[in-house]
Amino acid sequence: MYGFINTCLKSLVIERFGEETWEKLRLLAGVQETFMTYEIYDDLITLRLVQEACKMLDVSSEVVLKLFGEYFFSFCKMSGYDTMLRTLGGNLLEFIENLDALHSYLALSYEAMNAPSFRVERMDDGRILLHYYSDRKGLYHIVPGIIEAVAKDFFDSEVTMTILNQSEEDERTGKKEHVVFHMVQKEKVAKKKPQKGSEEEIQAEKEDKEETMKRMKARYANMPLCRRKRSPWEIVRSIVMLGQGNLRQSFTPSYPTSLWIDEQAFCNAFPFHIVFDQNLVVKHTGVNIQKFVPGLQTAGIRLDEYFTIVHPEVTCNIQSIKKFINSQFVLKTRKEMLPQIQQNQVTLKLRGQMMWMESLNCMIYLCSPKLRSLQELEERGLHLADIAQHDTTRDLILLNQQRLAEIELSNQLERKKEELRILSRNLEIEKQKSEKLLYAMLPTHVANQLKEGKRVEAGEFKVCTILFSDVVTFTNICAACEPIQIVNMLNAMYSRFDRLTNIHTVYKVETIGDAYMVVGGVPVPTETHAERVANFALGMRIAAREVTSPITGQPIQIRVGLHTGPVLAGVVGDKMPRYCLFGDTVNTASRMESHGVPDHIHVSPFTYSVLKDKGIFEIAERGEIEVKGKGLMRTYFLLKNLQKSDEQIMGLVDGETCVYQEDTEDLKDDSNEESHEDANYVEKEDKEMEEEVENEKSNASSSLQSGKISPDRLIQFDVTPAYDSPADFKHLNNALHSDSINTKFCSIL
């Protein structure tokens, strides 16, 4: 089938069921997105689409095909064939009888079109039978949809069609299916006439007269002045035609008593004609057909010796020809019967009408060469002069030559359009990838401003909540592992953290080494900034336990610090611009993290004051600690969310659980005892601090000497003391390993 059919089916699905349904149907059927109008596609594509549509809609193929038939008629009208269809016949039967002629005309543009054929049979009992012939099996349910739509639209009537017989075609060789429909046409119900002499009849007559006068006045007003003076008879005739009168009689043709044309003039006037009797014996032919097939000049030659019937594909006998007398016949010359000089040429096809002459008991075939272009004319050794001047085939060949050029141009445009569509779609995909990468680096509104070439002004945010986190004993892990193991561990951890940013709608600012920074309330201000960051922190602690240390194989631990306050935010840099936060709030949040305790969420008093009013978090007081640059601060530990489970905080679906369940009672007990154990904990850590630093240096030196870590992959660590002296550290009421304080930033060379 040509792409026009599949395009119609696509349009039907989109118009009735939407784009998503078509996309799903297309994928199930395994077909392409678009179809070229003049390109030929395998019939299996259409059949697969119909089959999948039946499954999707849970209806029979009869319903789908009938719906397609109705829509196909409308689609043809929308595609510019409206006038052509309306002029096929004055009634429904004439319309159907001329469908084959329409298909023959369309074959000039759609050369490979294999259209069905239709034949109307009028029975003696008044029944009308419609015979449908097709090379395609199983599509006959389209016919009732088309015919019913035509009857309703063009002829204002209703048609019901019932299948009487469905069988393999035995009348036409080569066709696979022959279906006979019983067709009943019901004209539009007329208005019920009022009773004679009643008020309704008088009122109806009055309205008819007024309507008639209005139409006469309108017609007279629109008429040129030179034509307004008319004879009395013309005025009466107009009244009769516009009113209810009916003086016009049906047309009756007049025939002469004898034909005033001699044989030679007839054969010259119709150079392509054949007259044969009921035994197919040729009586005479046109002069030009004799030129191409000289054997027809032989007396007593039979028609089927030199010609085969191409359309309709019936047996070449007088009975079959009479049965399809209303169809257009196409005959093709037998190549083996042509002269030797013509056997290298393409066979000639003739197209025309069969007429039975009852008085002579003969059939006349009035025809013309079936040609699509000047090239075909030349290939068959013909010239325009060989075609009679009154024959429109001359004009048709010239017009169709231009039409074929337009079709080829249309094909090229369609192909270019499809290529552009594919390029546009691929470009859109790549654009989405670029935007996704850009939005991962910058806030959406900032990225959009940069895309538009605008300057992004720095903005002040009155209040927000900032979070910092790092990995406990990260220096030890780096010293004992290969760089790729560190990368894999951080990637596993950060991937989980990134997922949580989407769940709790917080903005990831950056990661440096093992440090992870997020903010709530920036760049989009929100009143729930502290609540979002707190839930995110609880999720971080759970997610970190799902990542194991490459050294011990045990879950890693993180420190988390939160602080709330004002910041200034803006884009820094032209090459690889970053959205950065500035202000003392950032420093304080970092201090909360660096002065925190492993596997605990350290909260500043400002964040605590915001969260305590929510009433949904369990928070334990840590007490006063010395914070570098801030002095004594009373800080707190965030324990859990009283209203959300771990699964909800992690954004897990129903049925899934966390890898490590939180023992909230033990955590609460540990937190309550924290303030009593701080002094002993710090004293112990003070003694171990210097020993661990020395051990790290010794381990790194040994690994380098033994060749475990090559110099070209040496991991450099910042081991500068965090404070001026160990005495300063003793005053801190926290539990930190010295190596964790000093190794927030590392680089793998």
Side-chain angles (χ1 to χ4, degrees), residues 425-440:
R425 183 184 61 184
N426 294 337
L427 179 62
E428 184 63 27
I429 293 174
E430 295 301 322
K431 180 182 176 183
Q432 291 176 0
K433 291 180 181 178
S434 301
E435 289 180 348
K436 183 178 180 180
L437 181 61
L438 182 61
Y439 293 150

